[in-house]
Amino acid sequence: MRYLITGGAGFIGSHLTEHLLARGDEVVALDNLSTGTLDNLTGVAGHPGFRFVRGSITDPSTVEACMPGVDAVFHLAAAVGVFTILDRTLDSLRTNLHGTEILLDAALRHDAAILVASTSEVYGKNTVDGLTEDSDRIIGSPLKNRWSYAEAKALDETFAYLYAKEHGLRTVIVRPFNTVGPRQTGRYGMVIPRFVTQALAGEPITVFGDGQQTRCFCHVHDVVPALVDLLADESAHGKVFNLGSTEQTTISQLAERVIAATGSASTIAKVPYEEAYGEGYEDMQRRIPDCTRAYNQIGFVPTRTLDDIISAVVTDRRG
Ligand code: UDP
């Protein structure tokens, strides 16, 4: 199989690239290197089945040039990270909306299956214990920029769903819940690489808000095979799947666990949300997936624990 991976130089995209090449597939990786980096691809540079294209998903001719011979597309490219969305809101919205529409069009023209990466953020402020794919979106005011990422991804899902329904495009939508692991950078906001970097530098660990908000983190090595299995499974086409772990932690506990795992002398510094993200920021207090659908479809069960994840990120950051 030949795959196009948009965002192929990103955190998840680079792991997926390695996974597919190791199976003997071919990969074209398209990335504008805005948040991705060629450093993520050093392990596959020069591989005969691999081609890197530097360019934007918002440029239809660049996307078109990647498509010949492609059997299936993993559309992972997006403006990501809370800091990115708050700093470059309009650009992020354009990338996350128009880019997806362009990829869906290209997949349709070339009769390629396409997996669209959505996000658990589409559930917004819904704190139910076990979000299923049918759970409601509870989103804040459109005047709060913070929600524009979730808005764009929700529309991407609708686009993908309608391309499947009205044009017969083979689509799969996934909603990852806090995917983490080696190579993820903390530069754009992601909490685990930030805490690990701070701990290794002996700097204060910046816990935003009261630290009682919870998250469930899932190792990228659990997520990547699930992406591949879902796209390969015809009976998954036209559907949406949560992908995540159900092991919960508060962010304060996470900070303590990172300090313990690194043996760091760092202290914990509570930072008010306004200081961290600017005025009027709303955080999700709780976000736990129910992944029964992915389990029933492909037997999805994450096997790495939060301790495994922390230790993998520590090893990665220590270089
Ligand atoms: N967070 C934190 N300190 C940081 C970065 C993030 O306390 O330096 C918090 C953030 O406010 C959120 C949680 O960690 O409650 C997860 O943040 P991340 O941006 O990784 O993911 P998301 O909010 O998209 O789940």
Side-chain angles (χ1 to χ4, degrees), residues 228-245:
V228 176
D229 289 349
L230 285 170
L231 193 54
D233 183 347
E234 275 178 27
S235 67
H237 294 171
K239 296 185 185 149
V240 52
F241 297 90
N242 289 337
L243 290 179
S245 157

Side-chain angles (χ1 to χ4, degrees), residues 82-144:
V82 180
F83 293 161
T84 310
I85 305 302
L86 294 176
D87 286 350
R88 303 175 56 85
T89 309
L90 184 55
D91 258 6
S92 302
L93 190 65
R94 287 201 177 111
T95 302
N96 295 346
L97 274 180
H98 299 326
T100 300
E101 200 183 353
I102 288 167
L103 262 299
L104 289 168
D105 266 341
L108 184 63
R109 264 197 313 278
H110 290 266
D111 191 25
I114 180 167
L115 177 143
V116 174
S118 179
T119 172
S120 54
E121 289 245 336
V122 295
Y123 297 110
K125 295 187 274 188
N126 190 336
T127 55
V128 75
D129 187 358
L131 290 156
T132 65
E133 288 81 357
D134 298 322
S135 294
D136 285 338
R137 298 183 64 214
I138 304 179
I139 295 290
S141 160
L143 297 176
K144 293 195 163 138

Side-chain angles (χ1 to χ4, degrees), residues 81-83 119-121 146 149 177-178 180 184 186 188-195 198 205-209 211 213-215 217 251-252 254 269 271 273 276-277 281 283-285 287:
V82 180
F83 293 161
T119 172
S120 54
E121 289 245 336
R146 184 252 178 288
Y149 178 71
F177 283 63
N178 294 80
V180 287
Q184 189 178 44
Y188 310 107
M190 284 73 163
V191 66
I192 290 190
R194 282 175 62 80
F195 282 6
Q198 290 166 340
I205 311 284
T206 54
V207 169
F208 298 162
Q213 68 273 34
T214 64
R215 290 293 186 276
F217 296 94
I251 298 302
S252 283
L254 177 68
V271 181
Y273 282 124
Y277 298 120
Y281 185 81
D283 196 12
M284 261 81 69
Q285 288 310 301
R287 193 159 68 196

Side-chain angles (χ1 to χ4, degrees), residues 2-250:
R2 179 182 291 177
Y3 293 96
L4 169 64
I5 304 179
T6 71
F11 157 56
I12 301 176
S14 63
H15 285 281
L16 178 59
T17 297
E18 284 175 355
H19 180 84
L20 293 172
L21 290 173
R23 293 191 337 165
D25 295 311
E26 292 178 19
V27 172
V28 180
L30 171 64
D31 203 301
N32 67 357
L33 302 182
S34 56
T35 56
T37 161
L38 289 178
D39 291 346
N40 287 340
L41 294 169
T42 47
V44 297
H47 190 293
F50 178 65
R51 183 159 72 95
F52 178 74
V53 177
R54 182 173 184 172
S56 172
I57 52 165
T58 57
D59 176 12
S61 60
T62 301
V63 171
E64 183 58 31
C66 294
M67 289 304 297
V70 164
D71 302 296
V73 179
F74 289 97
H75 177 41
L76 309 182
V80 292
V82 180
F83 293 161
T84 310
I85 305 302
L86 294 176
D87 286 350
R88 303 175 56 85
T89 309
L90 184 55
D91 258 6
S92 302
L93 190 65
R94 287 201 177 111
T95 302
N96 295 346
L97 274 180
H98 299 326
T100 300
E101 200 183 353
I102 288 167
L103 262 299
L104 289 168
D105 266 341
L108 184 63
R109 264 197 313 278
H110 290 266
D111 191 25
I114 180 167
L115 177 143
V116 174
S118 179
T119 172
S120 54
E121 289 245 336
V122 295
Y123 297 110
K125 295 187 274 188
N126 190 336
T127 55
V128 75
D129 187 358
L131 290 156
T132 65
E133 288 81 357
D134 298 322
S135 294
D136 285 338
R137 298 183 64 214
I138 304 179
I139 295 290
S141 160
L143 297 176
K144 293 195 163 138
N145 288 351
R146 184 252 178 288
W147 296 111
S148 62
Y149 178 71
E151 300 283 41
K153 289 288 186 175
L155 273 175
D156 287 349
E157 288 198 15
T158 310
F159 263 129
Y161 175 72
L162 293 174
Y163 269 74
K165 187 165 170 244
E166 296 186 14
H167 298 301
L169 183 65
R170 291 169 292 145
T171 62
V172 173
I173 298 161
V174 295
R175 295 177 183 157
F177 283 63
N178 294 80
T179 307
V180 287
R183 295 189 201 135
Q184 189 178 44
T185 168
R187 201 171 306 142
Y188 310 107
M190 284 73 163
V191 66
I192 290 190
R194 282 175 62 80
F195 282 6
V196 170
T197 305
Q198 290 166 340
L200 291 177
E203 292 166 1
I205 311 284
T206 54
V207 169
F208 298 162
D210 66 5
Q212 291 313 298
Q213 68 273 34
T214 64
R215 290 293 186 276
C216 301
F217 296 94
C218 192
H219 197 298
V220 66
H221 288 163
D222 282 323
V223 172
V224 158
L227 301 179
V228 176
D229 289 349
L230 285 170
L231 193 54
D233 183 347
E234 275 178 27
S235 67
H237 294 171
K239 296 185 185 149
V240 52
F241 297 90
N242 289 337
L243 290 179
S245 157
T246 49
E247 184 185 352
Q248 266 192 91
T249 178
T250 68

